[in-house]
Amino acid sequence: MRLRRRHPARAAEGAPRLLVPFAGGHLDPAVLDAALRIARADGAVFVPAYLIIVPFSIALDSPLTHEVEVALPLLEAVELRAQNAGVPVDARLERGRSLRDALRRLWDVERFDRILLPVSADERAGFDERDVAWILMHAPTETLALRPASGSVRERVAP
Amino acid sequence: MRGRFRILLGAAAGVGKTYRMLQEGRQAATEGVDVVIGYLEPHDRPETAALAEGLETLPRRRVEHQGVTLEELDTEALVRRAPELALIDELAHTNAPGSVNPKRYMDIEVVLDAGVDVISTVNVQHLESLNDTVFELTGVRVRETFPDRILDAADEVVLVDLAPEELQERLRAGKVYPKSRVETALENFFRTENLGSLRQLALRELSEDLEARRETRVLDRDAQQAILERILVLVTPQPSSQRLLRRAWRSAQRLGADIDVLYVRRAGATLPEEQTVALAALRRLAQILGAHFLEEESDDLIATVRATVIDRGTTYVYLGTPERRRLEEALHGAFLSRLIEALPGVDLRIAADRGRRRELGP
């Protein structure tokens, strides 16, 4: 019997890109599942982007060791889940003076065809209503705001 | 025995580095040290020129270039003169074409190797690893840079600090540039926010330098060499390189190592837009992780990696699983075998794609 070699999911050239920004060491698993379903259906590259807020007391270009230690395991867990789901993934770490600033910096330099926004009243777990309003006004592309499933805000994607 | 090297580091021109260098030279001379001014940039500042009076000044080497006479440090004459202490301004300076060494810091290394102590000056914007940062902060691309290892190898690095407002006052008083250039300078490079950012960079650089010295002072040089790790990550403009760099960073944290990131672009090649964006994203990630991003243009990847390993003092090379190109392997041998052969004494780590573990089966 000839074994078929399975290669990791690769995106077609020019494939649409689905951005899922998050922050604070949390990503609602319901949001992740939804993002993976949408990406698979669209043949899109899933771009989970962990956003780091840099306080004004620190230069914006400083290395961010502490925040990176929180972000990397989570980002890798998210990536692994995407790979296991057969969805091409291209993760990002971005920073700014606020979530909005970090997001703006990202979409200013990269193309995205859709943004999936985890919304939460808990600012550690996602974007609050003011952020959502701002993003809907300023995002350069279609934006879906996804409410967390009841009680799932505190649930984490395990690193 | 190699001479001692002291660097006076400043945030910008005009903070008083040259003045401080001369003060230290005069003080040493008072104490009976044989001091020579190897090269001085008086910048037409009378106070600086006055402070140099009474100290022996080495005649400069004159170089004719395209009908213009340029003056440079006469390294050979300085080594022959062999003072105990040489004062050499502006270590990041680029020498006139045709000089033995292209950069002044190389001349300084020759002088140090001859056993002469050296005090020199430099602004933080010239530090190679900060080139992109300075460009982002100030919009000015600094052409004259010097490698970080020069700062690392100095016996002492001293910050010559001046608050932005005081520096602007000095500028307005014509103590830094001629009055005709003051307004333009204040509206451009010498804006308060620029000076504040550069000052912050200089302070950070110095604190990192102090931290590194505190950690390594207990060990002698050979022992340090034996345990210090420096990682080089070979990247391509692909999503997998983001993962590779992040994984290398985690290893670096465990090893207490610095990270360099190298992208080798084929000579003359232009990247498609998608890859240009991916490369920019890698640069941003490198900055967040505190890694130094290097980009080289070459058709010989292995030779370029080898040269970088030598230049950066790399002990550990990190790469993703290389793509097999049968024709290339048939012609030149397997890439990994050639890399191992080219990098004796250097660890290699090939980072696999964790997502493919499932191919191992249950």
Side-chain angles (χ1 to χ4, degrees):
Chain A
M1 190 177 78
R2 199 169 163 203
L3 282 175
R4 226 168 104 198
R5 200 168 163 192
R6 289 174 64 195
H7 286 284
R10 277 201 176 177
E13 205 170 310
R17 290 167 67 81
L18 172 67
L19 172 66
V20 182
F22 62 107
H26 299 259
L27 179 62
D28 184 345
V31 171
L32 176 57
D33 289 342
L36 293 177
R37 276 199 305 275
I38 293 169
R40 198 165 30 208
D42 287 356
V45 179
F46 169 49
V47 186
Y50 190 96
L51 307 181
I52 297 174
I53 299 175
V54 185
F56 281 94
S57 57
I58 300 173
L60 194 57
D61 62 316
S62 304
L64 302 166
T65 310
H66 179 69
E67 292 78 0
V68 169
E69 276 171 1
V70 176
L72 287 201
L74 180 60
L75 208 50
E76 279 168 26
V78 169
E79 263 186 344
L80 193 60
R81 209 180 268 193
Q83 286 178 321
N84 288 339
V87 174
V89 58
D90 187 10
R92 293 284 181 269
L93 260 183
E94 292 295 337
R95 60 175 152 195
R97 293 302 186 188
S98 63
L99 291 182
R100 292 181 215 172
D101 182 40
L103 193 53
R104 185 185 51 76
R105 285 170 187 274
L106 181 56
W107 75 43
D108 274 354
V109 293
E110 297 204 32
R111 168 185 67 87
F112 298 104
D113 299 274
R114 193 180 278 180
I115 298 172
L116 188 66
L117 205 59
V119 184
S120 173
D122 178 350
E123 64 175 16
R124 291 181 312 132
F127 296 87
D128 65 21
E129 69 272 21
R130 284 162 305 172
D131 293 326
V132 175
W134 183 87
I135 291 164
L136 291 173
M137 287 284 289
H138 295 89
T141 186
E142 180 187 22
T143 302
L144 300 173
L146 209 69
R147 267 190 225 181
S150 172
S152 70
V153 171
R154 299 258 172 217
E155 194 185 342
R156 289 172 176 217
V157 175
Chain B
M1 204 174 113
R2 188 177 159 90
R4 284 184 66 77
F5 188 22
R6 181 174 166 88
I7 295 177
L8 304 177
L9 177 73
V15 295
K17 300 176 301 296
T18 303
Y19 196 83
R20 169 80 177 264
M21 179 181 77
L22 290 168
Q23 277 181 324
E24 291 190 6
R26 288 187 84 90
Q27 180 63 32
T30 312
E31 290 164 5
V33 176
D34 178 19
V35 182
V36 164
I37 296 176
Y39 191 94
L40 177 67
E41 292 279 5
H43 303 291
D44 293 327
R45 295 170 197 161
E47 291 170 3
T48 308
L51 205 58
E53 278 173 24
L55 286 173
E56 179 185 338
T57 303
L58 195 78
R60 295 175 179 190
R61 186 171 53 85
R62 295 164 77 87
V63 184
E64 294 293 328
H65 179 64
Q66 295 181 343
V68 182
T69 305
L70 303 168
E71 296 189 333
E72 299 291 356
L73 167 69
D74 192 338
T75 312
E76 215 175 289
L78 183 57
V79 170
R80 264 202 317 274
R81 166 66 180 77
E84 288 173 273
L85 172 64
L87 310 180
I88 304 174
D89 221 356
E90 305 280 8
L91 71 86
H93 169 78
T94 302
N95 288 333
S99 301
V100 176
N101 292 312
K103 304 287 285 188
R104 187 169 292 155
Y105 68 79
M106 295 171 172
D107 293 334
I108 291 176
E109 288 189 310
V110 173
V111 176
L112 288 167
D113 284 341
V116 177
D117 292 349
V118 172
I119 302 178
S120 189
T121 64
V122 75
N123 286 327
V124 72
Q125 77 227 35
H126 296 290
L127 199 58
E128 196 175 79
S129 63
L130 297 180
N131 199 258
D132 286 343
T133 307
V134 170
F135 178 61
E136 278 174 28
L137 289 172
T138 64
V140 175
R141 176 65 77 186
V142 177
R143 300 286 167 205
E144 293 193 314
T145 60
F146 71 100
D148 296 40
R149 66 177 169 79
I150 299 295
L151 205 65
D152 297 342
D155 296 284
E156 288 169 287
V157 182
V158 178
L159 183 68
V160 180
D161 189 32
L162 194 67
E165 295 73 18
E166 286 178 66
L167 178 52
Q168 287 169 331
E169 273 310 303
R170 294 198 63 204
L171 196 67
R172 285 191 193 94
K175 291 180 176 173
V176 181
Y177 293 137
K179 292 233 171 183
S180 57
R181 287 174 58 192
V182 169
E183 277 315 307
T184 315
L186 283 170
E187 284 165 15
N188 293 287
F189 195 77
F190 283 77
R191 290 199 311 269
T192 308
E193 58 269 34
N194 272 3
L195 293 176
S197 304
L198 288 169
R199 188 186 192 202
Q200 207 170 13
L201 274 183
L203 285 165
R204 200 175 70 205
E205 202 55 43
L206 191 75
S207 71
E208 283 175 6
D209 185 69
L210 282 173
E211 189 65 28
R213 280 164 205 270
R214 192 161 44 234
E215 283 172 7
T216 55
R217 196 168 288 154
V218 289
L219 300 168
D220 67 24
R221 229 185 169 103
D222 291 342
Q224 283 177 35
Q225 205 60 42
I227 61 160
L228 284 181
E229 299 278 8
R230 189 169 190 107
I231 293 177
L232 179 67
V233 189
L234 308 184
V235 296
T236 55
Q238 304 293 339
S240 57
S241 284
Q242 288 260 340
R243 282 195 285 279
L244 180 70
L245 178 51
R246 293 197 308 258
R247 198 159 338 147
W249 183 83
R250 293 173 79 170
S251 293
Q253 293 298 103
R254 286 193 292 273
L255 294 167
D258 282 337
I259 308 186
D260 299 308
V261 183
L262 175 65
Y263 168 58
V264 181
R265 183 198 298 263
R266 278 192 184 279
T270 312
L271 291 179
E273 196 197 334
E274 210 162 286
Q275 292 189 7
T276 305
V277 169
L279 196 64
L282 273 170
R283 276 183 184 279
R284 296 199 302 279
L285 178 63
Q287 202 177 49
I288 290 175
L289 301 179
H292 306 281
F293 196 97
L294 311 165
E295 187 172 340
E296 300 287 346
E297 193 172 285
S298 164
D299 282 330
D300 191 339
L301 174 62
I302 290 182
T304 310
V305 172
R306 183 182 156 86
T308 309
V309 162
I310 293 167
D311 184 49
R312 310 296 291 184
T314 305
T315 58
Y316 208 114
V317 172
Y318 232 93
L319 66 157
T321 316
E323 281 180 21
R324 286 189 66 189
R325 291 195 181 92
R326 288 180 193 283
L327 179 63
E328 198 178 305
E329 286 190 5
L331 289 174
H332 304 293
F335 173 76
L336 284 175
S337 311
R338 287 187 289 138
L339 194 62
I340 290 166
E341 207 171 305
L343 302 175
V346 176
D347 293 335
L348 281 185
R349 179 161 173 185
I350 300 150
D353 183 347
R354 290 270 190 264
R356 292 185 63 185
R357 278 183 66 84
R358 63 182 186 275
E359 291 173 28
L360 291 169

